Amino acid sequence: MAKPNENLLLDEPLHRWRCNYAVMLKAASLELNPALSPVRRFEELIAWMLSDFLVAGPAAIYCAMFLSPDAPRAGLMKGLRSQDRSRALAGVRNAAWDATYLSELVQRAQPHQYGKARCIFASADRSLSLLAPLLLFDADDRDAFRRHMAAKIEPWWRRDAGRVADVILGGMEAAQNRPAPEAPGVEDYVGQKIAEGEAAVSRPITS
């Protein structure tokens, strides 16, 4: 709940949603590619974030669950394989809101934002409850972060858990020293990536 005198910047969550939506569209298109294994899909997603977009941490962690072979994924992206592709896009948009909800938790958990205020994450969504603690690991201790992340995602990734944890950590570290992607002449870069993603996900499903 906002403090009485707190200025609500409503454009910030909306901007985060658009960025998350672009990431979810990319993840959905990778999930629909039968030529890629689950771990390759996740690696391709992080590589795309680094080369063409930005590393959106909560969205990346969400996709570490969504793209995994053994996680309880029901409801993470509803209707993705529906013959009605508008249902698929609706499911991707809903996933983007879930990722934005997680990103709001990260924002509010920063000490400089709310001092010693206690932040409580409340959700009836079991998947979000499993994902939320992963966003609060201390990344300053590289070895501890990798160890904790691998242990938490092991039920989803089995023998590939360490590999996926390395991809997450590597993406976070690379993002710190990477300049933003350049797009001369493009007024709305995020909007362009959304349009590309919607076109990819809207393609008819072939059996």
Side-chain angles (χ1 to χ4, degrees):
M1 180 179 294
K3 299 173 184 178
N5 296 322
E6 181 181 346
N7 294 321
L8 293 177
L9 301 177
L10 299 181
D11 57 328
E12 290 183 5
L14 182 58
H15 174 69
R16 290 203 300 273
W17 178 83
R18 295 183 78 233
C19 292
N20 289 329
Y21 183 40
V23 173
M24 294 300 158
L25 287 165
K26 183 63 177 181
S29 68
L30 290 167
E31 172 67 16
L32 294 171
N33 185 345
L36 298 175
S37 67
V39 71
R40 282 300 301 153
R41 289 169 185 155
F42 188 72
E43 288 172 339
E44 290 282 338
L45 177 67
I46 300 301
W48 173 82
M49 285 185 177
L50 286 168
S51 64
D52 291 6
F53 202 55
L54 54 86
V55 178
I61 297 298
Y62 188 97
C63 292
M65 187 178 198
F66 167 65
L67 294 174
S68 69
D70 294 323
R73 306 192 306 164
L76 286 178
M77 215 171 277
K78 298 175 182 176
L80 183 58
R81 287 178 169 79
S82 171
Q83 291 299 319
D84 181 352
R85 302 315 292 155
S86 65
R87 283 190 60 201
L89 289 174
V92 179
R93 286 193 291 270
N94 186 69
W97 280 118
D98 286 343
T100 304
Y101 187 32
L102 291 171
S103 72
E104 186 66 17
L105 167 67
V106 174
Q107 291 290 318
R108 290 180 176 268
Q110 301 301 316
H112 66 275
Q113 291 276 24
Y114 291 91
K116 295 183 178 180
R118 179 168 296 181
C119 179
I120 299 175
F121 183 81
S123 175
D125 189 315
R126 174 168 169 75
S127 296
L128 294 187
S129 298
L130 291 172
L131 288 165
L134 305 185
L135 299 169
L136 304 178
F137 286 161
D138 183 2
D140 290 337
D141 187 334
R142 190 183 195 282
D143 292 337
F145 178 91
R146 183 195 182 281
R147 185 171 62 255
H148 292 321
M149 182 63 69
K152 288 294 186 181
I153 65 176
E154 193 275 337
W156 310 341
W157 288 97
R158 304 301 176 187
R159 60 190 178 89
D160 286 323
R163 180 174 169 181
V164 171
D166 284 336
V167 172
I168 294 170
L169 185 57
M172 292 170 56
E173 292 175 340
Q176 294 177 358
N177 303 312
R178 186 212 67 169
E182 296 183 3
V186 177
E187 190 169 318
D188 181 5
Y189 187 74
V190 176
Q192 176 180 297
K193 292 303 173 186
I194 288 174
E196 291 173 359
E198 287 182 335
V201 174
S202 295
R203 295 188 187 111
I205 294 292
T206 57
S207 53

